[in-house]
Amino acid sequence: MNIREKVKELLKYCADYQGHTNMMDERRKNYDFNVELPEEKGISAHLNELQFILLTGEAGDGKTHLIHALKEKLTKNGFKLCEDFSAESEDDKKQIVQKVEEIVSGKTEDCIIVAANVGIFTKTVLMYEPTLIEELNKENPKIKIINFEKRNIAGDKKVFYQIVQEFLKYDGGNCLEEQCIHREHCIYKKNLDMLLSNQGVESVRVLCDVICLIGEHVTFRDLLSLLSYMVTFGETCEQRVVKSDVENCSYENIFDKMQLNKLFATIGRMDPAFKNTAMNEREYSTIEQCRRAKRQRFFVQEHEKYPLLAIDYLPQFRNVIHLFQKEPFLDVGMVQDGELYLVKRGLGRIIRRGQSDLSIKVADTPTMLGNDIQTEFELGDIDIVWHRYGLDFNHLEENTRKAEEENTRKAEEENRFCMSYIYQGEEDQVEAITMVIDYRLFRYLMMAEEYYYLSHNSKSIEEYTINTFFRKIIKKKAGAYEKMIVRFTDQKQRDVCDFSLKMQKKSILESDKRIIKIRREG
């Protein structure tokens, strides 16, 4: 395909950006472009034993694309295809749910694959077969559920590179239109060649990865539309010829298109032009030249692209992720420097309510007590570790050896790590209560450490499940807390005072006896 034909094809994916008008419609698309995604491989590998497959996610996540890619295999294995559960009538939805219940309970050998937008299928199940929800959450070789909403499309580098390079490929030559005044310096060709290079693909991958890190979602459609716009900027050859400054349509100006939609607004907030870097800004005669140079450096720099984006605490977060790719786990008590030490201090400042002592205080007020009384627990020594996501504490050596041999990480391990309380479970198995730390929680703790934002409001803390984590430990470990504190919100009116309860040994000679010590607080 020559460059002029390629531009016309790409323009179909990004016309206007008005609510995705005229953009790719999966049901009308020509499926000549195809890359085998991990989800497709996973289904194909177990198709003989599967009876029910559920694909759920946002519009544009690639659910219909996946069904089309597997259509021949699915049909051969007797699967009934439901490509859009939302479009089915209410009676048909009910029948599909009942069919799934029969599959799960072993009453039928029928097979079905269902594609549904987020929440639609679950809502229908709760309406007609509410007990089915619990069964679908159990391990069952006949069932495969793929939630595209949880997928980081940039997580698998190999597949991401295949998608971009397959989607953008062209013959590599100059435009055949000899009369075009821009033929020798075609901006379309410049953009395509950059995005097809390893540096270009990695730059787009980093952008998509960071979007996922900050809690947003990039669909398959979003990616293809983004690539198309970075090449064409939504303009045909005829429109481009009459422009005097075609450089405004160069790939690095993607950061200037915040008005187009939510995805571009997110990318715009990462603009490398907002980042203070080691560049000598005096070398540039205008601010615009300096901004463009910073953006271009993000694309052309081979390594460490993440620190060039204007995302606070992102380099520190990446350092921690890299640390756990080398070290499976670290004892929290032994961490005395680096980013994890700052995370530990931020966590302490949140849960100590501004007090200078080093004890961990956990709020756990029963709802029945209302807002008039608040209870806190001071935790003693508990076995806490930082560790990589997905670590199996019962097979540490095996996990570590396998990871080193394969030199690979699961996509979800690339953007989160964990803090866990480790304890001995049944049958000598090591068990853990775990708090997953993603970028959002990491940023919250780092801001607390620097006092940029420090809220002791229980709802704010609970948004990140911090109190829930420690409350689970209190419930599991006998004697996990050394002291309980009872606080009254309106002491003067009620004529009461805060007090604490502490369990102590009676004496050295009577070590098996305990006393409860009550002390006035405040």
Side-chain angles (χ1 to χ4, degrees), residues 199-230:
Q199 292 175 353
V201 180
E202 181 62 11
S203 299
V204 179
R205 194 196 68 81
V206 168
L207 288 177
C208 293
D209 190 38
V210 173
I211 290 171
C212 291
L213 287 180
I214 62 179
E216 298 187 26
H217 180 57
V218 179
T219 67
F220 194 76
R221 180 186 296 170
D222 285 335
L223 173 59
L224 301 189
S225 300
L226 172 63
L227 292 168
S228 301
Y229 198 86
M230 290 180 74

Side-chain angles (χ1 to χ4, degrees), residues 325-354:
Q325 289 177 357
K326 299 175 183 176
E327 299 289 339
F329 62 92
L330 294 170
D331 186 288
V332 170
M334 302 299 290
V335 175
Q336 298 298 326
D337 56 26
E339 287 84 4
L340 282 178
Y341 181 66
L342 299 179
V343 169
K344 185 166 71 170
R345 290 211 316 179
L347 182 64
R349 285 176 174 168
I350 288 172
I351 60 182
R352 291 175 197 142
R353 296 181 178 270

Side-chain angles (χ1 to χ4, degrees), residues 368-381:
M368 62 182 293
L369 297 180
N371 297 321
D372 297 332
I373 302 176
Q374 296 178 352
T375 60
E376 292 178 1
F377 297 88
E378 284 190 6
L379 270 61
D381 292 332

